[in-house]
Amino acid sequence: MLLALVGITGVGKSFLCDKICEKLNFKKVNTIRTRKPRAGENVNNFKTISELDELEKQGEIAYRFKVFGGEYAYLSSEIQSNENWIFEMHYTTIFDWKNIRPDIKTIYIFPKSVEMAKQKLHERGLSAEKETERFNEIDEHIEAMKNENLKNQFDYFFYNDYTDDSVEKLINLVKKIIE
């Protein structure tokens, strides 16, 4: 199964993704990026545009897109696998993903508080310019999700209140999806 977590920046997608991997033995899809790596990130997941072009030419890229001023890509070997894989999806790519993997399962995560999500984003220590860009993206994202056509593309909705109880509820939801 391919499972995607979707939601605004700061909603806890990475943390929850890690918890699902830890508790349910999912594998985390490697997101290939063209931006510079941040401290602690796996440098193997960063490529130049020419390296991405070469991987795409060799048929190794399942999906490639641009967002946040950079390029991102996913490997076919992971995306087309029958094993349980999980990744964080940008909401604007949902229509593409429904074509790439019609059987994809998506969980849209809402924060109990947008201010809490913005606080989590602030704690990342981004530059003032990047932080403002991401805050604006949060507001745009929330506005976009008022569109019923977009909202109806997601399979499940979940509210994260940033507690252990939320983690447990999400784990239980994923267990039900697996069944």
Side-chain angles (χ1 to χ4, degrees):
M1 168 172 67
L2 181 61
L3 176 63
L5 300 185
V6 189
I8 64 172
T9 299
V11 79
K13 295 181 299 288
S14 296
F15 174 80
L16 294 168
C17 212
D18 289 344
K19 288 296 180 184
I20 290 168
C21 289
E22 174 188 316
K23 298 192 179 270
L24 299 176
N25 296 317
F26 271 69
K27 294 179 180 181
K28 198 169 186 180
V29 172
N30 293 296
T31 304
I32 299 169
R33 301 163 171 92
T34 58
R35 66 168 170 73
K36 293 192 187 294
R38 294 183 196 123
E41 289 183 315
N42 181 349
V43 294
N44 294 329
N45 293 336
F46 293 84
K47 306 284 184 206
T48 64
I49 299 288
S50 350
E51 288 172 324
L52 268 183
D53 290 342
E54 186 57 33
L55 286 171
E56 192 166 40
K57 190 170 123 183
Q58 294 171 4
E60 293 183 39
I61 300 292
Y63 184 54
R64 183 174 176 176
F65 65 103
K66 293 179 181 180
V67 69
F68 302 128
E71 284 200 45
Y72 297 80
Y74 298 100
L75 296 173
S76 297
S77 59
E78 296 173 357
I79 297 305
Q80 301 301 339
S81 172
N82 290 324
E83 296 176 85
N84 289 334
W85 287 85
I86 187 169
F87 72 108
E88 301 166 38
M89 176 196 296
H90 193 269
Y91 76 101
T92 60
T93 65
I94 184 65
F95 297 102
D96 293 339
W97 280 106
K98 293 287 183 165
N99 288 323
I100 294 165
R101 277 290 299 261
D103 62 337
I104 191 173
K105 298 297 179 204
T106 58
I107 301 174
Y108 190 94
I109 303 170
F110 289 100
K112 279 279 186 161
S113 155
V114 173
E115 289 311 311
M116 175 84 68
K118 287 183 175 182
Q119 177 59 38
K120 295 289 186 185
L121 173 59
H122 177 71
E123 291 169 7
R124 291 183 185 173
L126 301 174
S127 70
E129 180 184 343
K130 260 303 175 203
E131 185 175 276
T132 299
E133 179 184 316
R134 289 297 181 96
F135 282 160
N136 290 337
E137 198 270 340
I138 287 172
D139 295 336
E140 290 168 14
H141 188 152
I142 290 168
E143 190 61 33
M145 282 305 289
K146 293 177 183 175
N147 177 319
E148 288 300 315
N149 186 39
L150 177 61
K151 199 180 227 180
N152 290 336
Q153 297 302 308
F154 300 99
D155 300 305
Y156 302 91
F157 294 93
F158 180 79
Y159 285 87
N160 184 16
D161 65 4
Y162 304 92
T163 64
D164 289 342
D165 189 47
S166 268
V167 172
E168 199 55 42
K169 285 179 182 175
L170 182 61
I171 296 297
N172 288 332
L173 173 60
V174 175
K175 284 179 182 176
K176 287 179 186 174
I177 294 169
I178 292 169
E179 294 169 0

